[in-house]
Amino acid sequence: MIPGARLIILGRQGAGKGTQCVRLSRHFVVPHISTGDMLRAAVREGTPLGRAAREVMDSGGLVGDEIMVGIVRERLEHDDARTRGYILDGFPRTVRQAEALDEITADRPLDGVIDLDVPRDLVLERLSARRVCRDCGTNYVASGHERQQRICDVCGGDVMHRDDDTPEAINHRLDLYEQQTSPLIEYYGGAGRLMVVDGVATPDTVFNELTAAVEASRRN
Ligand code: ADP
Ligand code: ZN
């Protein structure tokens, strides 16, 4: 395995994308850049960005392209991303964002774009049971009969139901995914840059297929 990679992971929310991206970032020794995590941190800290994004996020809407492109452009300039690469999670989410990313990365092109594919009805089920550590973002699955506040195994933070994981917001996010994000499959697919990995299998199988897809794309 060669360390370093520049990857985009696409896929519906709740497809297990976050967890796989964390594993990929350890495997390739590159930062995991999650725009959702960055926005949630901004909301927690009450920065101007957080104040602007909060309502949109709670309703399951998309934060404006210009804001998002600015955040990602800035983050990709940091040393770690410049020298080793990154796993980009949650960005791009619109064709406009993908076009901007092509400009940003023109001098250091991507190794690959992977679509982690999980059907909508399965995602709905998984998202409703999703719980997440408010401090480190680790995901958990609710068993349905927890009485006590759960504590994160990784960092000891509080494990919460996300404010935007209500059925309404979930459905809205999934609708937006079909309208705004699924055109990216064609955007990258048409240029021969897309790899599709079936996200329904066990997490270990999915992870092995993800790394195999990256290695295969490097040989080409
Ligand atoms: P999920 O974990 O459900 O896939 P994320 O954590 O990636 O969702 O993002 C949470 C919310 O943050 C989104 O619903 C959206 O409001 C906002 N967001 C994150 N990334 C983007 C982006 N690239 N463009 C617009 N909005 C974004
Ligand atoms: Zn944690």
Side-chain angles (χ1 to χ4, degrees), residues 28-207:
F28 290 109
V29 204
V30 294
H32 169 212
I33 301 180
S34 156
T35 47
D37 286 350
M38 290 166 85
L39 290 170
R40 277 185 291 277
V43 168
R44 269 202 309 276
E45 286 156 22
T47 66
L49 167 68
R51 287 199 296 276
R54 173 167 209 151
E55 241 175 81
V56 184
M57 291 175 72
D58 282 352
S59 70
L62 288 179
V63 176
D65 287 337
E66 226 165 289
I67 294 180
M68 295 311 304
V69 169
I71 294 174
V72 170
R73 185 194 303 279
E74 201 271 329
R75 180 62 187 87
L76 294 186
E77 305 230 311
H78 292 201
D79 267 355
D80 56 353
R82 288 197 75 88
T83 55
R84 295 205 304 277
Y86 44 81
I87 309 289
L88 205 43
D89 170 11
F91 185 97
R93 253 187 173 80
T94 65
V95 170
R96 182 70 207 90
Q97 291 178 13
E99 287 167 351
L101 186 63
D102 276 340
E103 278 166 36
I104 294 169
T105 60
D107 55 335
R108 284 158 298 149
L110 299 164
D111 288 312
V113 180
I114 304 179
D115 179 35
L116 187 58
D117 188 32
V118 175
R120 179 170 177 145
D121 47 350
L122 192 58
V123 155
L124 246 179
E125 221 172 87
R126 287 188 185 176
L127 279 180
S128 311
R130 173 164 79 175
R131 301 292 181 272
V132 64
C133 170
R134 54 176 297 194
D135 291 331
C136 74
T138 301
N139 282 315
Y140 296 91
V141 179
S143 62
H145 45 256
E146 283 134 343
R147 277 156 205 238
Q148 282 179 341
Q149 171 66 43
R150 189 162 169 182
I151 299 298
C152 177
D153 298 335
V154 178
C155 77
D158 290 335
V159 174
M160 325 276 287
H161 195 212
R162 251 169 62 171
D163 291 342
D164 60 351
D165 276 348
T166 62
E168 295 75 25
I170 291 170
N171 266 306
H172 187 206
R173 291 215 299 284
L174 289 170
D175 287 343
L176 282 181
Y177 180 87
E178 309 310 333
Q179 291 159 19
Q180 311 250 34
T181 309
S182 67
L184 294 180
I185 307 293
E186 226 161 279
Y187 181 86
Y188 290 114
R193 295 195 278 173
L194 187 76
M195 299 174 274
V196 179
V197 168
D198 178 8
V200 178
T202 66
D204 284 345
T205 306
V206 173
F207 179 70

